[in-house]
Amino acid sequence: SYNGYWVTEGFDWYRTNGDMNDYSYGIDGTIDWTIELATSFIPPPLALDGIWDENRPAILYLIRKCIQGISGVVRDASTGDTLRQAVVNIDEIDWPVFCDPASGHFHRILRPGTYTVTAWANGYYPKTVSNVMVNADTSTGIIIDLNPGGGSFAYKYAVANIPDVLSNPIHNVTLTPWALGPVDSKFTSIGKGGEVILDMGSLTPIVDGTGDDFTVYEGDDGIPDEGYAVYVSNSYRGPWTFLASGTGTQSFDIVSFGSSARYVRIMDDDDGSLTEPTPGFDLEAIESAEITGVYIIVENYYTDDSSTGNNNGIFDPGESVYLIVSLHNGGSVDAINMIGELSSSDPYVDIDSSISHFGNINAGTSENNSLDPFLITSLSSTQQGYIASLTLAVNEDGGYVDTFFLNVKVGAGGDFLIWDNDPNQSSGSLIQSALELVGYNGIRTTNLSSYYDELQYYLAVFVCCGIYPNNTVIHDGGSDATALVNYVNNGGRMYLEGGDVWYYDPQGGGHDFGPLFSINATDDGSGDLSTVQGQSGTFTDGMSFSYSGENSWIDHISPAGSAFLIFKNSSPGYDCGVAYD
């Protein structure tokens, strides 16, 4: 307790589903903090020093507590290699954390005490370490070595959409992590009509073999053979391929989808009772069939211009670069003398050195071709942000062959950049999916500053600011506002959405984008956004949308100059969408 403040746990205060707090803890196992320091949402600048002085001890206390717990790595006991897709669980809490996919390091915040720690990874036997002591304001280091062996299971969630938890929070007595890892008599009830998307791991996807390729295990809640539908994809966003409907514990074949699948989507059949203790299908585990022989995955790849070009870290038009590829052997047999051959019919890229030697790739390990890289050159006429298509064929002495398709970016920029400035990120991902479905290439980021220098090379920039209470203000005079204004003034095309961007935000220090877009902001509005109608004679002619969202209170905006109206709220009638060509 500091300065008369008291501690309120968010769940006891009010409950929300699907926000960043849910994602951080539910998906990544990390704690997400919401810190509210003042009595007003945007305090006046003169109050900031006082607010900091009041809260400084508490913030420093929080920083000390963030390092309190256990930290370490999980390793292969036979090779000493760090395992980057391992899971660490504190048995007394029964909620996992995940090793960092780049460094393999993990950290779990804990109160002082003695704990039991269990680690597991696909292709390894789990291991438990007892009597791990945690002291106040410090981190206890731990290294856990796992022995190769064991099966391959769902490793992490991508999506957990379990309905009616908010209105009936006491009814579902299961925890989501209970569907991860090996069969252990614990299960997750996914809810009546609910769905979950589980990641099998980038290094251990489901592989098409002879017969069934994976098994969905049903947990025992006393109601056997509950129904569900099974889909697979190599992206958590889809598109999804429906495999079959299942009941109870059942095995499935991915032959209708392809050679491998990373994500499995389980959808409940919407049968049963919403308010039973374990509503919906009870998912205990998803297990891949054992991979026999060699199985190669492209783990990652990148271009290196440090010795062949201008050493700016970008594959520029007209430049030669080395292409470094890392291959992972997810099979049970060592790959002997692995060779890669690179080819391309892309008109903007030449292959200067097409053969590369990876050497032996033992089962469960990775190797790259940094000692014998491919050499490629882009034409000087290649536009910035162009995506070049390459084909990599691999073979080894045992007869294993496979082909992979690689996309290499030339220059900076691309077709689009989405600055997903909305804390809920509710529309940025949908914009990205729509653009990619019609063949555009680009990126989505939450940090615009990383792209200031290359912003000019994007054909279009999309900015999503969200709506109160989950919104972000683009401050007047700030570097983000300056970068966006310069981009448009230099010929760029921009889409900007936000419930308060146009009228309300500029009154409290937000940048006024109205003149840039030829928009006249007329009113703060009220909570009455309902049916949004497109306008005849424009590209929105015939469109009609029933609004639903976090808040129906949005700014009223009208066109000025040569801008034109594209959307209007039907009742009460006011303008809410403007385009300026």
Side-chain angles (χ1 to χ4, degrees):
S1 177
Y2 286 94
N3 304 320
Y5 292 135
W6 64 94
V7 174
T8 298
E9 298 216 8
F11 186 78
D12 295 331
W13 186 14
Y14 60 88
R15 298 168 182 171
T16 61
N17 285 347
D19 63 5
M20 197 62 184
N21 303 83
D22 276 2
Y23 177 89
S24 297
Y25 195 64
I27 301 294
D28 283 338
T30 60
I31 295 176
D32 185 287
W33 302 93
T34 300
I35 302 174
E36 299 182 356
L37 300 179
T39 56
S40 60
F41 189 69
I42 303 177
L46 291 177
L48 294 181
D49 286 346
I51 293 171
W52 166 242
D53 290 338
E54 277 190 330
N55 290 278
R56 182 177 181 274
I59 294 296
L60 294 179
Y61 175 85
L62 181 61
I63 291 172
R64 288 197 303 271
K65 292 303 177 183
C66 282
I67 66 168
Q68 180 177 290
I70 61 171
S71 300
V73 294
V74 181
R75 303 186 307 189
D76 183 310
S78 60
T79 66
D81 293 335
T82 299
L83 303 179
R84 293 173 294 156
Q85 292 189 2
V87 183
V88 179
N89 193 52
I90 309 301
D91 292 6
E92 289 81 2
I93 298 174
D94 210 6
W95 202 280
V97 294
F98 301 86
C99 292
D100 182 87
S103 69
H105 180 268
F106 72 87
H107 177 67
R108 203 346 167 153
I109 298 176
L110 292 168
R111 293 181 178 181
T114 303
Y115 295 93
T116 304
V117 183
T118 299
W120 66 271
N122 283 334
Y124 293 83
Y125 293 109
K127 184 175 183 178
T128 298
V129 180
S130 303
N131 299 317
V132 178
M133 180 69 70
V134 172
N135 297 312
D137 301 335
T138 188
S139 178
T140 299
I142 183 173
I143 296 175
I144 304 175
D145 291 329
L146 303 184
N147 292 309
S152 185
F153 303 88
Y155 145 75
K156 194 176 184 182
Y157 275 91
V159 170
N161 184 10
I162 299 177
D164 296 298
V165 176
L166 188 62
S167 57
N168 296 290
I170 65 171
H171 292 301
N172 195 335
V173 297
T174 66
L175 295 177
T176 46
W178 290 350
L180 303 177
V183 176
D184 55 7
S185 299
K186 295 189 294 186
F187 56 83
T188 299
S189 300
I190 68 174
K192 183 178 184 294
E195 66 170 323
V196 292
I197 298 174
L198 294 172
D199 183 359
M200 303 301 292
S202 61
L203 302 180
T204 53
I206 299 168
V207 177
D208 182 38
T210 303
D212 291 327
D213 302 312
F214 70 100
T215 301
V216 176
Y217 289 91
E218 181 183 30
D220 183 10
D221 70 338
I223 306 175
D225 298 327
E226 292 179 299
Y228 55 95
V230 179
Y231 301 77
V232 293
S233 177
N234 278 316
S235 168
Y236 71 92
R237 296 176 299 149
W240 296 96
T241 295
F242 172 70
L243 293 185
S245 294
T247 56
T249 297
Q250 189 170 325
S251 298
F252 301 89
D253 192 334
I254 67 167
V255 65
S256 61
F257 172 74
S259 60
S260 66
R262 176 174 172 180
Y263 295 93
V264 179
R265 182 183 187 186
I266 306 291
M267 300 185 68
D268 180 69
D269 66 358
D270 205 22
D271 194 12
S273 170
L274 173 67
T275 58
E276 65 186 46
T278 53
F281 178 68
D282 307 301
L283 178 61
E284 177 163 341
I286 301 176
E287 182 179 16
S288 297
E290 183 181 358
I291 304 173
T292 58
V294 174
Y295 180 70
I296 298 299
I297 301 166
V298 174
E299 190 172 31
N300 58 60
Y301 55 94
Y302 62 92
T303 56
D304 178 10
D305 69 340
S306 60
S307 60
T308 60
N310 59 18
N311 194 24
N312 66 350
I314 298 174
F315 182 17
D316 291 307
E319 187 177 40
S320 296
V321 296
Y322 287 127
L323 177 64
I324 313 297
V325 181
S326 178
L327 301 179
H328 178 80
N329 183 1
S332 59
V333 175
D334 296 344
I336 307 301
N337 191 26
M338 179 63 69
I339 297 175
E341 182 174 2
L342 193 68
S343 61
S344 178
S345 58
D346 194 293
Y348 290 97
V349 174
D350 291 328
I351 310 297
D352 303 305
S353 178
S354 61
I355 303 297
S356 183
H357 295 80
F358 292 82
N360 299 339
I361 309 178
N362 296 333
T365 67
S366 303
E367 296 290 345
N368 64 51
N369 64 334
S370 58
L371 297 179
D372 183 27
F374 300 110
L375 182 65
I376 59 178
T377 300
S378 64
L379 270 64
S380 58
S381 59
T382 309
Q383 73 174 38
Q384 295 281 352
Y386 178 75
I387 305 297
S389 299
L390 311 175
T391 301
L392 173 63
V394 299
N395 65 84
E396 55 94 44
D397 288 354
Y400 177 88
V401 296
D402 207 344
T403 300
F404 305 96
F405 300 98
L406 313 181
N407 292 321
V408 177
K409 183 178 178 181
V410 180
D415 291 333
F416 66 84
L417 180 143
I418 300 169
W419 181 25
D420 206 349
N421 208 22
D422 176 359
N424 267 4
Q425 300 182 349
S426 51
S427 58
S429 60
L430 300 179
I431 293 173
Q432 182 180 16
S433 296
L435 292 170
E436 290 176 346
L437 282 172
V438 291
Y440 291 109
N441 293 293
I443 58 109
R444 180 166 61 97
T445 181
T446 59
N447 182 15
L448 183 66
S449 62
S450 298
Y451 297 90
Y452 286 166
D453 293 339
E454 62 178 81
L455 206 58
Q456 60 180 314
Y457 299 120
Y458 287 95
L459 300 181
V461 171
F462 295 76
V463 181
C464 306
C465 290
I467 191 167
Y468 182 83
N470 296 300
N471 64 307
T472 300
V473 178
I474 305 175
H475 292 287
D476 190 37
S479 54
D480 289 332
T482 300
L484 293 175
V485 171
N486 289 340
Y487 169 73
V488 173
N489 285 335
N490 288 324
R493 294 177 286 185
M494 189 164 78
Y495 167 85
L496 174 60
E497 68 173 28
D500 293 315
V501 164
W502 306 99
Y503 185 91
Y504 182 80
D505 285 352
Q507 300 180 67
H511 183 78
D512 183 5
F513 285 97
L516 188 69
F517 281 78
S518 285
I519 283 177
N520 183 24
T522 59
D523 191 19
D524 183 35
S526 58
D528 54 16
L529 187 67
S530 55
T531 301
V532 180
Q533 299 283 2
Q535 300 298 294
S536 61
T538 74
F539 60 85
T540 64
D541 191 358
M543 296 183 183
S544 178
F545 305 99
S546 295
Y547 174 79
S548 63
E550 302 146 90
N551 188 347
S552 60
W553 193 303
I554 72 162
D555 291 343
H556 296 184
I557 57 174
S558 296
S562 57
F564 55 97
L565 186 68
I566 56 172
F567 285 117
K568 190 179 186 74
N569 190 55
S570 59
S571 179
Y574 57 82
D575 301 345
C576 57
V578 170
Y580 179 32
D581 196 356

